[in-house]
Amino acid sequence: MKSELRTTEGAAPVGAYSQGLVVGDFVYTSGAGPLHPDTGEVVGDDVAAQTHQTMRNLGAILAAHGLGFDDVIKATVHLQELKRDFAAFNEVYQSYFARPYPVRTTVGSDLMDILVEIDFVAHKSA
């Protein structure tokens, strides 16, 4: 059984997908980017600012199910310019988590007018 997560506190989907799905004790988010939830506009000109907005959007989706960053177990990250932006991205990303960090895959991707996109798998802790 799955149920949809939707919140106006995070950027709205721009296609045929859910912001997140709850399946049992797991929450899966779609890839989120640096879009402002009210305007749909890209927030920030650099990867640090865009990562902060992306993390705020993801945090809102998690919060819609009573979860937080401590509940994230897996992250997949896409960076438009992997070599150039990895260090700045990683510094911001790391500030949202405590050890042990979620497992993560980070790849370079051809993103549409944004510098970063992230999706999470989270687990509701007992």
Side-chain angles (χ1 to χ4, degrees):
M1 200 67 161
K2 63 183 176 183
S3 60
E4 182 179 19
L5 281 179
R6 181 172 281 274
T7 177
T8 58
E9 300 298 313
V14 295
Y17 60 89
S18 300
Q19 285 175 320
L21 288 177
V22 179
V23 182
D25 288 339
F26 289 91
V27 169
Y28 299 86
T29 72
S30 288
L35 303 181
H36 191 282
D38 295 330
T39 66
E41 298 293 320
V42 174
V43 174
D45 292 332
D46 62 23
V47 77
Q50 289 195 15
T51 300
H52 275 298
Q53 183 61 46
T54 299
M55 296 298 280
R56 285 191 289 271
N57 288 337
L58 287 164
I61 296 166
L62 293 171
H65 191 60
L67 300 178
F69 291 108
D70 287 344
D71 299 302
V72 175
I73 57 174
K74 169 84 168 94
T76 303
V77 178
H78 299 266
L79 295 176
Q80 177 74 268
E81 298 290 338
L82 184 61
K83 256 187 192 177
R84 180 192 71 195
D85 289 341
F86 181 81
F89 151 78
N90 195 59
E91 183 176 338
V92 172
Y93 174 91
Q94 182 176 335
S95 72
Y96 286 83
F97 295 102
R99 289 184 181 270
Y101 300 120
V103 297
R104 183 178 84 192
T105 301
T106 306
V107 297
S109 295
D110 185 13
L111 301 174
M112 194 180 320
D113 300 325
I114 60 175
L115 300 175
V116 60
E117 182 175 346
I118 304 169
D119 67 78
F120 287 154
V121 177
H123 185 262
K124 182 125 180 144
S125 302

